[in-house]
Amino acid sequence: GQSLNEPDWFHIKPHEIVKDFANPKMKEALEKELFSNDYDVVQYEYLQMAYLINIVKKYNTASVFTEIEVQSRKLWRDMLHASFLEKLDYFYRWMVMVNFENSICSRFDAVVALTKEDARYIQQYNPKLDVRTSPMGIDISFFLPHSMQAERQSLLFVGYFRHPPNVDAMIHFSKDILPLIRKKYPDVKLYIVGGEIPREIQQLSFDNNVVVTGWVDDLRPYYEKATIFIAPIRLGAGMRGKILEAWAMKKPIVSSSVAAEGYHCENGREIFIADEPTMFADAVIQLLGDERLREKIAENGYLRARSEYAWSKIAQQYEELYYHLLNS
């Protein structure tokens, strides 16, 4: 499936991108679609799909690449939390990924990053790139607050657990933060919801007050019952859609600065942001003990989600980009 001909300083392409995701059937399907129909714009999502850019170059078609998660920036953060020997491996993988990512981005007519931080990171390696910023959106007609009474002392985390930052977040929270919360609220309940649960996460359910659900058909009942939504994420890049879901469901959030990246929010207004375990636990404890504060934070987040992140607003930004590319 490797169809890339651009220079490769290290004579190797990222294993996690090309080998795991380069499916010849996807290549054939895209080639057939572009040959059979006349498209004005082709938009790629994720670096895992962007390797197929060579196919579009055969046609008179504008191309847009949305960097949902900047992979080299993610690897850099992984390296910061790794042991010394692991750092050497991560640094090599980071160099390979930076080269690969920059080569890919330079072939598109426009690149879209979800956050300003991601956009700055991409452009520092190639200032000539046309990099736009457009955030993630939320379906405000689907994720709606309900009058259902939340449980008295319950925390919720939602994530796809094939994604390593979600695994790290729950291991970190259960080991370093949850015990601090239980000094004040010993019966606090934790819901961990999401698919592809690995063994180390499943083992957390040995605690009677930790519920690991695995895949669920509908996330909304879990948001409804939660007192507080938590996002103690330390790794990765891009925006976390779980923040928007919790806001739209009118839930107070305690988040790390990494998880809150890209959102126009103020600590203590729409969200509580804390990175150090004691401060994160203190924020949760404060919210558990203050219903009025929970309602205020939740209301502010809800209004922010509806005013700035409805999909209709995000779609308008992309429409303007498409017209720009076609007119130029």
Side-chain angles (χ1 to χ4, degrees):
Q2 295 186 29
S3 59
L4 297 169
N5 298 314
E6 67 276 358
D8 186 351
W9 302 339
F10 304 101
H11 308 291
I12 189 171
K13 296 178 176 67
H15 177 280
E16 58 265 55
I17 302 297
V18 175
K19 191 171 190 308
D20 290 351
F21 289 90
N23 189 328
K25 291 183 179 180
M26 176 63 77
K27 180 182 176 182
E28 292 168 7
L30 180 59
E31 185 85 64
K32 180 180 179 180
E33 190 66 30
L34 288 172
F35 180 79
S36 305
N37 298 282
D38 184 19
Y39 289 96
D40 295 313
V41 179
V42 177
Q43 179 167 325
Y44 291 75
E45 304 278 323
Y46 291 97
L47 188 62
Q48 287 86 343
M49 289 293 99
Y51 77 93
L52 294 169
I53 179 60
N54 283 0
I55 297 174
V56 175
K57 289 298 179 182
K58 300 176 185 179
Y59 301 89
N60 186 25
T61 305
S63 59
V64 177
F65 171 36
T66 301
E67 272 269 53
I68 301 294
E69 184 175 37
V70 182
Q71 294 295 314
S72 57
R73 192 167 183 233
K74 168 187 175 296
L75 282 171
W76 186 266
R77 277 186 172 149
D78 290 346
M79 183 176 67
L80 298 179
H81 290 274
S83 66
F84 175 75
L85 291 178
E86 289 174 331
K87 277 181 167 59
L88 298 177
D89 176 58
Y90 273 117
F91 185 69
Y92 173 72
R93 290 169 58 196
W94 171 78
M95 289 192 296
V96 172
M97 189 67 79
V98 165
N99 174 56
F100 180 80
E101 213 161 25
N102 184 48
S103 298
I104 291 288
C105 288
S106 65
R107 306 210 58 184
F108 283 87
D109 297 313
V111 175
V112 178
L114 299 188
T115 73
K116 292 180 180 178
E117 293 85 354
D118 281 352
R120 284 195 294 266
Y121 179 90
I122 295 169
Q123 280 194 303
Q124 71 180 328
Y125 296 105
N126 190 343
K128 295 181 180 180
L129 284 178
D130 182 5
V131 183
R132 312 297 180 91
T133 301
S134 181
M136 188 173 286
I138 184 73
D139 185 349
I140 57 175
S141 66
F142 182 81
F143 289 98
L144 287 168
H146 290 265
S147 57
M148 174 181 172
Q149 184 67 36
E151 292 183 357
R152 184 166 158 266
Q153 297 174 14
S154 65
L155 312 177
L156 171 66
F157 179 83
V158 169
Y160 177 53
F161 286 93
R162 193 177 172 187
H163 192 49
N166 290 326
V167 177
D168 175 80
M170 281 296 90
I171 298 297
H172 165 58
F173 181 80
S174 300
K175 177 184 175 183
D176 301 324
I177 302 174
L178 186 56
L180 300 177
I181 298 170
R182 284 182 168 165
K183 289 181 180 180
K184 175 69 174 178
Y185 293 100
D187 297 325
V188 69
K189 196 167 188 177
L190 171 62
Y191 289 94
I192 302 174
V193 180
E196 300 288 338
I197 299 290
R199 178 179 299 178
E200 60 265 43
I201 297 298
Q202 190 62 57
Q203 288 175 341
L204 298 177
S205 64
F206 293 160
D207 182 326
N208 290 332
N209 280 326
V210 175
V211 178
V212 180
T213 68
W215 173 266
V216 297
D217 292 330
D218 192 346
L219 294 171
R220 292 173 296 177
Y222 291 92
Y223 280 110
E224 289 167 15
K225 72 170 63 177
T227 315
I228 300 169
F229 184 81
I230 57 166
I233 293 173
R234 304 185 296 178
L235 308 177
M239 291 181 75
R240 318 291 168 157
K242 53 179 67 75
I243 299 291
L244 282 179
E245 291 171 359
W247 270 351
M249 296 289 293
K250 201 176 280 192
K251 291 296 171 179
I253 303 172
V254 181
S255 166
S256 66
S257 57
V258 171
E261 194 170 88
Y263 289 102
H264 304 140
C265 55
E266 181 182 339
N267 185 18
R269 178 176 172 81
E270 300 95 349
I271 193 171
F272 276 131
I273 300 174
D275 292 314
E276 197 273 327
T278 301
M279 295 180 66
F280 199 103
D282 287 346
V284 172
I285 289 169
Q286 184 181 1
L287 283 169
L288 285 174
D290 192 334
E291 182 178 2
R292 184 171 295 180
L293 179 61
R294 291 199 304 270
E295 291 175 351
K296 185 187 81 168
I297 295 293
E299 179 69 21
N300 290 338
Y302 170 74
L303 294 175
R304 180 56 57 90
R306 295 187 69 86
S307 64
E308 293 190 24
Y309 297 102
W311 273 123
S312 58
K313 293 183 179 294
I314 310 305
Q316 185 177 356
Q317 295 174 12
Y318 274 98
E319 186 177 358
E320 291 170 359
L321 172 58
Y322 298 155
Y323 277 118
H324 168 76
L325 293 176
L326 294 174
N327 290 332
S328 63

